[in-house]
Amino acid sequence: MADFDLFVIGAGSGGVRAARVASSYGARVAIAEEHKVGGTCVIRGCVPKKLLVYGAHFAEDLDDAAMFGWDVPEKRFDWAVLRDNVLSEVGRLEGAYTETLTNHDVTIFKERATLIGSNSVRLASGKTITAEKILIATGARPLMPELPGIEHAISSNETFHLEKLPKRIIIAGGGYIANEFAGIFHQFGSHVTLVNRTDVLLRGYDQQVVDRLIQISIRKGIEFKFHATIEAIEKRNDGSLHVRMTGCDDIHTDQILFAVGRQPNTEGLGCDAAGVDVGEKGEIKVDADNRTNVPSIFAVGDVTNRVQLTPVAIREGQAFADTFFGKKPHQVDYDCIPSAVFSHPPLAGVGMTEGQARNRLGTVKTFTSDFRPMKNVLAGRNERSLYKLVLDGETDRVVGVHMIGPDAPEIMQAAAIAVKARLKKSDFDATVALHPTMSEELVLMR
Ligand code: NDP
């Protein structure tokens, strides 16, 4: 008999969910984690990032407060206070996640585990453990390009621990992390230069909405270098960095953050030893039931490089546990996953962009609302929101909703239900507006 029914490698969002649910069905479960229980999202991703986004927003809120009658005599930001508060909240959450596992009788090994066979793993301490099933949930890590001086650059992992805020920062990349941290550092007072290899930011989002973000970001003072690449980084005696560029002049800066994607954590995991197939990017290849080519080994979350989002990893972990330990087989539905970028202002989307709809459907209709939120008007902040509905021209079904503006991600979650439920524009029109809100624009587009 194997030591455990299930051995999970990696205690992030997907691994923790699978372990806890499998255990609740009566399975004997163990989990190994070499860093901290909680994984990327809780320890060095979504959660601390969102707290920084909240912190950053005060910069504008305090400016805007004057028009609402508040006298804020002096605005001063102390990075160390926010950083330490965020890290202590992360510590609290790590404790809560650990407690959830122990309350569900999951055995935790706080060390690295590697595969040594189809039903066995070896812990860093040397112990060998056998299991009926093994779940790989090791996540992904920031991709750092190989270039001279890369050791002087940081990834998103280090941003949460910075000793002090840089006066100037270069952010390489044009995706989620680059745009979120561009907003965060800018609000904290750093001069931000975003360097991107093309002129397309946030590929996959509706381009009209992305263009609005670029427009607002430029007006705020964020600098963009498109069609530009970092060639080398040289550290000067005063600690500053000289960055050799192609596509634009060299740049002198204090910090460089690379946000050019994330790569699956499969290096040294023992996939060879266990005979598990790995793809070109190092991702674990799985079928719709999260099963690898080895029948006893499964994988969920970022390590599979399908959709790198926490709620998706959680659903995959849940589906795996329900299917193989709860006798409730089901597969994750990847259609209409809402997503958001917590930039300043944030943007969000669900379903097809206008471009995707034009490629996939015969005829397409769009409705947009381009407006200045009431709060911005009184504050004298010249920042406009943009909401967009994409319709199948044949059926008038709303196949996509895209928006940029305050609280867009909060609004999008509800709008995503309508898109997922395949509602039509007439259903939106039939819904009475909730006044005065920004989201009422969704039912007022004519
Ligand atoms: P993204 O995939 O979002 O963006 C990567 C960016 O880097 C793109 O602009 C890409 O350009 C560019 N790029 C890729 N390779 C290179 C290279 N070799 N040299 C220069 N530029 C390059 O990655 P992130 O690192 O921002 O985030 C990783 C993932 O984490 C996201 O895909 C997302 O799934 C998740 N995430 C989600 C968040 C959220 O839900 N709010 C927040 C943060 C992360 P191009 O478009 O041309 O390929």
Side-chain angles (χ1 to χ4, degrees):
M1 188 169 152
D3 298 329
F4 291 98
D5 297 317
L6 173 64
F7 193 96
V8 181
I9 309 179
S13 302
V16 168
R17 174 58 66 95
R20 152 168 100 64
V21 176
S23 183
S24 72
Y25 289 131
R28 297 167 305 133
V29 183
I31 194 164
E33 171 57 56
E34 64 179 333
H35 186 48
K36 290 181 175 175
V37 173
T40 299
C41 174
V42 175
I43 306 298
R44 57 190 106 76
C46 327
V47 172
K49 179 278 308 286
K50 184 72 186 279
L51 292 171
L52 293 188
V53 168
Y54 279 130
H57 218 281
F58 280 97
E60 290 183 350
D61 291 343
L62 291 171
D63 284 345
D64 293 352
M67 284 302 285
F68 290 86
W70 291 92
D71 180 19
V72 184
E74 198 199 350
K75 196 175 76 168
R76 202 181 64 80
F77 175 65
D78 190 336
W79 161 248
V81 171
L82 178 61
R83 179 198 60 203
D84 294 349
N85 287 342
V86 169
L87 291 177
S88 89
E89 174 60 7
V90 166
R92 188 189 68 78
L93 288 170
E94 187 200 357
Y97 269 68
T98 307
E99 211 175 290
T100 301
L101 289 171
T102 46
N103 285 347
H104 281 83
D105 293 329
V106 175
T107 305
I108 305 174
F109 294 102
K110 292 219 71 180
E111 56 187 308
R112 187 172 168 82
T114 47
L115 299 164
I116 52 169
S118 55
N119 292 94
S120 49
V121 297
R122 179 162 302 138
L123 298 178
S125 52
K127 195 173 174 193
T128 297
I129 292 178
T130 58
E132 290 291 332
K133 289 186 172 58
I134 297 171
L135 179 68
I136 303 170
T138 49
R141 64 180 186 283
L143 186 82
M144 297 298 276
E146 281 177 25
L147 53 86
I150 190 67
E151 66 277 12
H152 304 307
I154 60 170
S155 73
S156 54
N157 289 349
E158 288 76 47
T159 52
F160 304 107
H161 303 272
L162 291 180
E163 202 51 39
K164 58 183 175 64
L165 280 175
K167 281 205 172 63
R168 302 160 293 185
I169 183 166
I170 292 179
I171 301 181
Y176 283 83
I177 297 178
N179 282 284
E180 292 181 343
F181 276 101
I184 290 168
F185 280 111
H186 172 76
Q187 301 293 332
F188 289 156
S190 303
H191 177 82
V192 176
T193 307
L194 194 142
V195 171
N196 195 37
R197 63 178 173 182
T198 65
D199 58 2
V200 180
L201 292 186
L202 294 167
R203 209 178 283 278
Y205 278 91
D206 193 274
Q207 278 310 304
Q208 207 179 342
V209 166
V210 174
D211 285 348
R212 179 61 53 91
L213 175 66
I214 298 173
Q215 202 181 67
I216 294 173
S217 301
I218 289 173
R219 200 175 306 134
K220 281 187 202 290
I222 295 174
E223 214 176 314
F224 289 87
K225 303 282 186 199
F226 291 123
H227 299 288
T229 316
I230 295 175
E231 291 298 325
I233 306 163
E234 291 153 18
K235 192 161 193 164
R236 294 281 159 87
N237 289 339
D238 62 359
S240 66
L241 302 171
H242 183 79
V243 186
R244 273 202 282 121
M245 305 288 305
T246 49
C248 68
D249 290 341
D250 290 358
I251 310 175
H252 210 69
T253 192
D254 304 301
Q255 191 83 258
I256 303 181
L257 164 63
F258 272 89
V260 293
R262 296 174 60 83
Q263 71 185 115
N265 276 328
T266 48
E267 241 175 54
L269 187 63
C271 291
D272 283 355
V276 173
D277 277 353
V278 171
E280 257 177 34
K281 293 181 174 153
E283 77 278 15
I284 305 272
K285 293 201 220 168
V286 287
D287 64 15
D289 285 320
N290 302 296
R291 196 192 285 265
T292 69
N293 59 309
V294 178
S296 56
I297 303 182
F298 300 77
V300 295
D302 288 359
V303 75
T304 64
N305 200 29
R306 287 175 286 184
V307 182
Q308 292 189 340
L309 295 175
T310 298
V312 175
I314 290 173
R315 289 214 163 200
E316 290 168 353
Q318 178 83 40
F320 162 75
D322 286 346
T323 301
F324 296 101
F325 295 96
K327 298 197 181 77
K328 289 187 260 181
H330 65 100
Q331 295 176 344
V332 174
D333 173 3
Y334 293 92
D335 187 40
C336 283
I337 297 171
S339 61
V341 184
F342 294 92
S343 42
H344 279 76
L347 57 86
V350 67
M352 289 184 235
T353 64
E354 185 180 345
Q356 289 164 347
R358 289 201 187 285
N359 285 335
R360 287 183 213 166
L361 308 172
T363 53
V364 170
K365 285 186 214 158
T366 61
F367 291 84
T368 53
S369 175
D370 188 336
F371 64 100
R372 205 167 153 206
M374 190 192 255
K375 186 168 168 243
N376 285 356
V377 176
L378 192 71
R381 180 171 293 285
N382 189 17
E383 217 175 276
R384 298 182 72 83
S385 296
L386 180 68
Y387 289 9
K388 182 173 184 177
L389 300 182
V390 180
L391 274 59
D392 179 337
E394 294 279 305
T395 61
D396 271 2
R397 184 163 81 80
V398 179
V399 294
V401 178
H402 309 278
M403 50 173 75
I404 178 167
D407 295 332
E410 301 288 345
I411 299 164
M412 184 56 73
Q413 181 69 80
I417 300 171
V419 179
K420 185 76 185 158
R422 306 172 71 83
L423 297 188
K424 293 184 173 182
K425 173 73 164 53
S426 54
D427 297 307
F428 281 60
D429 296 346
T431 307
V432 174
L434 202 165
H435 187 70
T437 61
M438 294 175 285
S439 52
E440 68 181 309
E441 295 299 321
L442 286 174
V443 299
L444 296 175
M445 289 186 222
R446 299 288 190 268

